[in-house]
Amino acid sequence: MIYQEAKGADLDFASHLMFGSANGKYSITGGTGTSGVQFTISGNTVNYWMLDPNSAEIDADETMKEYSIGLSELESKWYSSASQK
């Protein structure tokens, strides 16, 4: 859900996503340096970080930007049935 929120609903490569964890954060990536999303969950709040495309002219110099969203908001937005929730 958080990857869909960060990157949009059109995930044609979703079967190629990789998952991991480090430094207290989980990470999801599509295999490129710019496709990664890191996140933590604390209660009903999901904090996530991704590269900010407006922070530099080239990808290698971009910095991470933090966002927050409620877990219940993610469920409402990206799940369509009670059984998925």
Side-chain angles (χ1 to χ4, degrees):
M1 291 184 304
I2 197 63
Y3 200 81
Q4 286 177 298
E5 179 67 22
K7 299 296 183 176
D10 184 22
L11 297 177
D12 292 337
F13 59 90
S15 63
H16 301 354
L17 291 176
M18 295 175 279
F19 304 89
S21 64
N23 302 318
K25 296 178 184 174
Y26 298 102
S27 63
I28 306 169
T29 182
T32 67
T34 58
S35 69
V37 175
Q38 297 176 338
F39 69 96
T40 61
I41 301 171
S42 179
N44 189 46
T45 303
V46 180
N47 295 306
Y48 65 99
W49 297 262
M50 53 190 257
L51 289 175
D52 179 4
N54 298 316
S55 64
E57 290 190 27
I58 59 172
D59 294 345
D61 292 336
E62 291 176 358
T63 58
M64 298 295 273
K65 185 172 180 180
E66 182 177 2
Y67 303 86
S68 295
I69 189 168
L71 185 56
S72 56
E73 185 179 346
L74 280 174
E75 290 173 342
S76 296
K77 186 172 183 178
W78 297 106
Y79 283 157
S80 58
S81 70
S83 64
Q84 287 178 320
K85 293 178 185 178

